[in-house]
Amino acid sequence: MTNNFELYKVFYWAAKMGSLTQAAKALYLTQPSVSHAIKQLEERIGVTLFYRNSKGVALTQEGKVLFSYVEQSQILINLAEEKMVALKNLDSGELRIGGSDSLFKHFLLPFLEDFHVQYPGIKLHLKHGTTPEVISYLKEGRIDLGVVRMPIVDSQLEVYESTEIQDCFVAGERYAELKGHTMSMEELMEYPVILFSRNSRVRMAINELFEKYGHVLKPDIEVGSVDLLIEFARRGLGISYVTREFVSKELKEGSLFEVKLDIEIPPSKVGLMTMRNLPISAAATKFMETFR
C-alpha cells in the first residue's frame, strides 16, 4: 500500500507539472526515478498514462480519468495536513471535560474562561455527572479529561492533584444563635441537616467522618446541587454541608455563617484525571498545563 501511494504521488506531480524533470525537482528525486515510478504504475494498472509532447508529457484519456481521482485524494491529504497543523497550534479542535455542576461553576469556570480567551478556536464540551459517572465517561472515551474530588484509586487512570478545598457546615439567620458557638456532633444532629446526594464524593466523606466517631449522620433534606444546598441554608431550612470556597460570597455578605464543630474536618483536593497510557489531544494537554 505504501509503494502504491508513492507511485500515485509521483504520477500526480508529473501530471500537474507536465514534465518528468519538474516533477523530479518538486519531489526531490532524480528524473530516472520518476520515469521508473510512472512505468511501474502503468504496468500495475495495465494502461498508458502519459504520452510525450514538445513541452514534456501530457495525460492520455485513461491518465486524465485517473488524475481526476488522484487529485481529489491529494487535496484531502493537503487539507488533513493543514488540519493537523491547526490542531497542533490550537487554532481548532475540541476539549471534552467531565465533572460535577458544582466543580464546573465554582471551581473550573475561571480556568475555562482563561482557556477560551487564549484559544477561541477550541470548542468546549462539558459533560456533567457524579464522580463514578465521570470515571465511566472517561473510560468510554466520551470525555478527554475528568475533574473530580480526590481521592481516586483506579489503576486505569492517571490522576493529578490540584487545589485544596475545605468543606464546612453553614446556616442562615434563622439559626443565628449558633454564631460563635462550637458544636459537638451530637448537638449538630439535633438540628435539620441538609446534605448532597448519597453517591457524591462530598457525602461519602462526611458520612465516613461521622462514622469514625461512632455516629450516623442522617439528613433531613437531600439535594442534587450545591446551589440548592446554599439556598436552602440561606432560607433557614436547615444546616447545609458545603465547600467553603463555594460559599465565600455568602459568608462575606453575611447571608450565611459557618457552623463550627469541635472536631477538625479534613480538607480535600480537586484533581484532574486522564486514561493511563493513552495519548490525549493537544487541547487537553494545554488545558492540563493551565489547570495544574
Side-chain angles (χ1 to χ4, degrees):
M1 291 297 292
T2 301
N3 290 337
N4 284 343
F5 175 76
E6 293 300 323
L7 295 181
Y8 285 118
K9 184 177 180 181
V10 171
F11 164 76
Y12 170 79
W13 282 101
K16 187 176 178 66
M17 304 299 289
S19 165
L20 300 186
T21 302
Q22 293 301 317
K25 290 181 179 180
L27 294 169
Y28 299 98
L29 298 173
T30 63
Q31 195 272 341
S33 296
V34 171
S35 297
H36 181 66
I38 296 298
K39 184 178 179 181
Q40 276 189 298
L41 183 59
E42 289 179 331
E43 290 176 351
R44 287 192 181 191
I45 60 180
V47 298
T48 300
L49 300 172
F50 292 97
Y51 65 88
R52 294 188 178 276
N53 59 22
S54 59
K55 296 181 180 180
V57 294
L59 289 168
T60 62
Q61 283 300 117
E62 293 82 359
K64 289 178 181 179
V65 173
L66 181 61
F67 182 76
S68 67
Y69 288 97
V70 174
E71 183 180 35
Q72 293 178 51
S73 67
Q74 189 63 43
I75 291 172
L76 289 175
I77 290 171
N78 291 338
L79 289 174
E81 290 178 343
E82 292 174 5
K83 182 66 174 179
M84 291 304 101
V85 171
L87 290 172
K88 179 182 178 182
N89 296 335
L90 301 180
D91 296 323
S92 66
E94 64 177 13
L95 176 61
R96 303 171 302 163
I97 305 178
S100 67
D101 290 345
S102 56
L103 287 179
F104 279 141
K105 179 179 179 180
H106 299 282
F107 175 73
L108 205 61
L109 189 56
F111 295 99
L112 292 172
E113 184 178 11
D114 290 343
F115 187 84
H116 182 65
V117 170
Q118 292 183 58
Y119 308 104
I122 302 296
K123 294 181 180 179
L124 297 175
H125 300 279
L126 306 182
K127 191 163 184 62
H128 304 258
T130 62
T131 296
E133 289 173 335
V134 172
I135 291 175
S136 294
Y137 298 154
L138 191 59
K139 291 182 177 181
E140 293 166 5
R142 297 165 67 183
I143 57 174
D144 305 304
L145 307 170
V147 180
V148 293
R149 283 175 174 258
M150 300 291 98
I152 297 293
V153 180
D154 190 313
S155 60
Q156 293 181 273
L157 304 177
E158 198 74 52
V159 182
Y160 307 90
E161 290 188 348
S162 182
T163 303
E164 188 174 88
I165 54 178
Q166 180 64 58
D167 296 318
C168 64
F169 287 95
V170 297
E173 278 303 308
R174 183 174 179 181
Y175 299 99
E177 73 275 6
L178 300 178
K179 289 182 180 179
H181 174 60
T182 300
M183 302 179 69
S184 66
M185 288 181 165
E186 293 86 348
E187 288 179 292
L188 175 68
M189 291 189 292
E190 293 176 1
Y191 289 86
V193 175
I194 309 170
L195 297 181
F196 205 59
S197 57
R198 296 183 183 183
N199 57 351
S200 71
R201 183 68 62 180
V202 182
R203 174 70 176 274
M204 288 187 280
I206 193 60
N207 283 347
E208 289 170 3
L209 180 63
F210 270 67
E211 288 169 5
K212 177 182 175 182
Y213 289 91
H215 300 291
V216 177
L217 184 58
K218 295 182 179 179
D220 293 81
I221 301 175
E222 289 182 303
V223 298
S225 75
V226 171
D227 288 343
L228 286 177
L229 282 171
I230 296 171
E231 188 63 18
F232 277 28
R234 194 179 67 81
R235 290 175 177 266
L237 275 71
I239 299 174
S240 288
Y241 187 66
V242 297
T243 302
R244 184 185 292 152
E245 288 79 4
F246 297 171
V247 290
S248 57
K249 177 185 175 183
E250 288 79 5
L251 292 174
K252 184 177 181 180
E253 68 187 14
S255 60
L256 290 177
F257 66 91
E258 186 172 345
V259 177
K260 300 288 186 179
L261 290 186
D262 60 0
I263 60 162
E264 181 181 355
I265 299 176
S268 59
K269 289 187 176 181
V270 175
L272 193 68
M273 61 184 183
T274 62
M275 288 299 295
R276 179 165 290 168
N277 300 324
L278 286 183
I280 61 175
S281 67
T285 300
K286 181 59 66 175
F287 183 79
M288 285 179 63
E289 293 174 3
T290 303
F291 182 88
R292 295 173 63 186

